[in-house]
């Protein structure tokens, strides 16, 4: 099929303004007649539900957690980007747009990215108005710090808990609408099917996770803001409950899945400590502002990090990428760490870690603090004592978290870090209006593919989630709903609801009746090992081909040897997990098919057959300058559709951070 990404005509800088000026509207009286379903209450879902409720629509919001506040957005640490240029260091909307397209290795849609950069400044004003306690400079202006892939300071932050503070802002806006009766909140409900009537999304089937009952809900439109699919790798920085189920059900009902192989490996995670682990913990990228990354110059170094002399340390990012140093984008930093560890220079008991060292920053800040009080020649000990206080103020909760997990004091000894799965740039294909290939079905935030290309720059996830929810969907949804004001609410006794609920019940009963010997967890762990080893930080044709057949065999085993305890009509965590892992077992295959099809390297997708002489990702713009949008076909097969990417402004070049 020919793609219609609905990108407005005209100059890039005018597209969004022109769109808003000409878009169809729904008047206030008609908004009250329209019902909207929102799946997920993270930053994208909560901001969308709150905004649409405020506009007068009747919104039903769903989350599988016990409270919207538990959405995984809460875990974001480092910050949120915006082109305010408070530092007067040369930032602008254009530069944020440029950095994002370049950072994504020229695999994102320019018009969407430009709009994201444009609305970024409004987000900060909105959040300040909500009371989000952003860090401030001495004079009262909001503070900024640097993040990877940029040479300006544009990241707004609230200590190391930015996601939590932003989510509390969106949550308070959401709860206000709940209190006013504009939003109905359904917690502990998991969406298990989309109901499509006459080609349009008209509702969902949800499972009440407390009682186990299946419930039907109508909506004139359905918005998916259900996050990413990083847990397909089992070990990731995602919350344990994060899953692909909502997006996957939409995919199987006709929504194309775009760029599934584009996953992000975050360079700054606490390393894996053994087979007993079920998740990984992120150390914010903001630490790369002040921390220096290094490995010993000698292989198999046995001394502690702090005992290795300066001239025996290899600050490999500063050596390889002098212009950006420790602040290269995530995909570049991750691959560089893997390369050093694979070459035998890794540290720690597993030798799969590198050091992130704050000693220089502590000393530097200490001297500045001492100078403020007139002491321009402090002793080293005096400077360290003062510097630790500054670092504690900026990053204290992150240092505390590291010490709790590892038992080591990062003020005294360098942190050990290693890359881990973090974010997924792929997701449901959406057009400029955030609508999927199913009419009336929209995807927001990490659930869609639209803004980050093959690699997301740090601090852009919070920016995209809030941009989609607060500033994009309130305009674009009206364009669709203006044609629905004559549609009366469809009763949930309609045959399409009946059929959808029966399909869900049948699948649940099929899983429950297998009566095998192996737990959900062990299948998930086995899938994760295949994905990480063969579709992780590096991929090659042989490994991907093997992974596809291994995943198919594992899926067959899952459906013949799965063991689920408990009953259907009760709170049953094992059953919930089983449904999610069943979807991961299908998604994993598609990710490997997509990675095999894309025989170039770009961003986080590193095909070993496609690299420059010095080991950097080598794109093939002639053959692969497109969005891969996969259509699901019955019997677990897919058809590839290509949306060509045209670059009017940021012309693709070999990325260099040197």
């Amino acid at each position: 099929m020919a793609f219609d990404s609905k990108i407005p005509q005209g100059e890039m800088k005018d597209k969004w303004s022109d769109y808003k000026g000409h878009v169809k509207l729904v008047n206030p009286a008609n908004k009250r007649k329209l019902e909207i379903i929102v799946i997920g209450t993270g930053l994208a879902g909560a901001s969308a539900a709150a905004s649409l409720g405020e506009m007068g629509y009747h919104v039903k919001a769903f989350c599988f957690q016990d409270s919207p506040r538990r959405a995984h957005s809460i875990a974001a640490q480092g910050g949120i980007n915006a082109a305010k240029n408070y530092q007067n260091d040369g930032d602008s909307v254009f530069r944020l747009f440029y950095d994002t397209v370049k950072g994504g290795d020229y695999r994102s849609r320019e018009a969407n990215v430009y709009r994201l950069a444009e609305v970024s400044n409004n987000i900060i004003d909105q959040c300040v108005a909500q009371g989000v306690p952003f860090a401030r400079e001495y004079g009262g202006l909001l503070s900024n710090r640097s993040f990877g892939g940029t040479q300006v300071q544009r990241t707004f932050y609230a200590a190391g808990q930015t996601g939590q503070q932003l989510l509390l802002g969106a949550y308070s806006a959401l709860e206000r609408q709940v209190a006013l009766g504009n939003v109905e909140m359904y917690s502990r409900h998991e969406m298990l099917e989309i109901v499509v009537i006459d080609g349009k999304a008209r509702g969902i089937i949800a499972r009440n996770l407390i009682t186990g009952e299946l419930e039907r809900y109508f909506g004139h439109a359905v918005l998916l803001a259900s996050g990413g699919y990083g847990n397909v790798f089992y070990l990731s920085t995602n919350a344990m409950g994060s899953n692909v189920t909502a997006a996957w059900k939409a995919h199987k009902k006709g929504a194309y899945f775009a760029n599934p192989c584009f996953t992000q490996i975050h360079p700054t995670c606490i390393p894996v400590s053994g087979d007993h682990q079920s998740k990984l913990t992120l150390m914010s990228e903001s630490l790369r502002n002040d921390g220096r990354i290094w490995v010993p110059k000698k292989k198999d170094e046995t001394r502690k990090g702090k005992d290795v002399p300066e001239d025996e340390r290899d600050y490999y990012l500063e050596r390889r990428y002098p212009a950006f140093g420790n602040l290269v984008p995530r995909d570049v930093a991750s691959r560089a760490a893997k390369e050093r560890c694979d070459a035998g220079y890794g540290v720690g008991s597993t030798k799969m870690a590198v050091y992130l060292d704050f000693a220089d920053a502590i000393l530097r800040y200490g001297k500045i603090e001492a100078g403020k009080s007139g002491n321009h020649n402090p002793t080293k000990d005096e400077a360290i004592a003062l510097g630790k206080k500054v670092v504690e103020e900026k990053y204290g909760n992150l240092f505390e978290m590291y010490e709790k997990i590892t038992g080591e004091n990062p003020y005294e000894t360098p942190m050990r870090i290693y890359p881990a799965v973090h974010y997924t740039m792929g997701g449901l294909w959406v057009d400029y209006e955030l609508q999927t290939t199913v009419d009336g079905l929209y995807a927001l935030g990490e659930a869609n593919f639209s803004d980050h290309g093959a690699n997301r720059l740090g601090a852009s996830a919070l920016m995209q989630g809030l941009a989609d929810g607060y500033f994009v969907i309130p305009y674009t949804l009206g364009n669709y709903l203006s044609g629905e004001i004559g549609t009366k609410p469809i009763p949930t006794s309609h045959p399409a609801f009946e059929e959808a609920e029966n399909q869900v019940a049948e699948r649940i009963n099929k899983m429950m009746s297998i009566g095998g010997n192996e737990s959900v967890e062990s299948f998930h762990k086995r899938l994760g090992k295949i994905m990480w080893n063969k579709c992780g930080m590096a991929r090659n044709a042989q490994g991907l081909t093997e992974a596809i057949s291994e995943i198919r065999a594992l899926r067959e085993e899952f459906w013949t040897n799965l063991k689920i305890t408990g009953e259907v009509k009760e709170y049953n965590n094992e059953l919930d997990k089983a449904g999610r892992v069943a979807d991961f077992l299908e998604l994993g295959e598609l990710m490997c098919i997509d990675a095999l099809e894309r025989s170039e390297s770009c961003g986080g997708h590193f095909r070993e057959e496609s690299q420059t002489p010095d080991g950097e990702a080598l794109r093939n713009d002639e053959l692969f300058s497109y969005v891969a949008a996969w259509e699901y076909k019955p019997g677990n097969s897919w058809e590839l559709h290509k949306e060509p990417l045209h670059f009017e402004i940021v012309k693709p070049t070999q990325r260099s951070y040197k």
Side-chain angles (χ1 to χ4, degrees), residues 404-423:
K404 276 186 179 161
I405 290 169
T406 65
E408 294 176 4
N409 180 349
Y411 292 102
E412 308 292 339
T413 186
M415 290 182 182
R416 286 187 321 262
I417 56 164
Y418 193 71
V421 173
H422 178 55
Y423 186 91

Side-chain angles (χ1 to χ4, degrees), residues 17 86 93-94 125 223 234 337 438 448 460 554 564 585 610 650:
S17 307
Y86 282 165
V93 165
F94 179 84
D125 299 339
L223 276 52
Y234 186 69
V438 175
N448 74 31
S460 287
L554 185 64
I564 304 175
L585 282 163
S610 183
V650 187

Side-chain angles (χ1 to χ4, degrees), residues 247-267:
W248 199 248
K249 299 309 183 202
H251 174 51
K252 292 180 88 167
K253 274 283 165 81
Y256 292 4
F257 210 102
N259 299 337
C261 78
F262 285 171
T263 53
Q264 177 159 81
I265 314 290
H266 196 296

Side-chain angles (χ1 to χ4, degrees), residues 228-245:
Y229 50 88
N231 275 352
V232 68
F233 290 90
Y234 186 69
L235 281 182
S236 84
T237 65
N238 287 207
M240 297 282 290
S242 297
N243 63 78
V244 75
T245 291

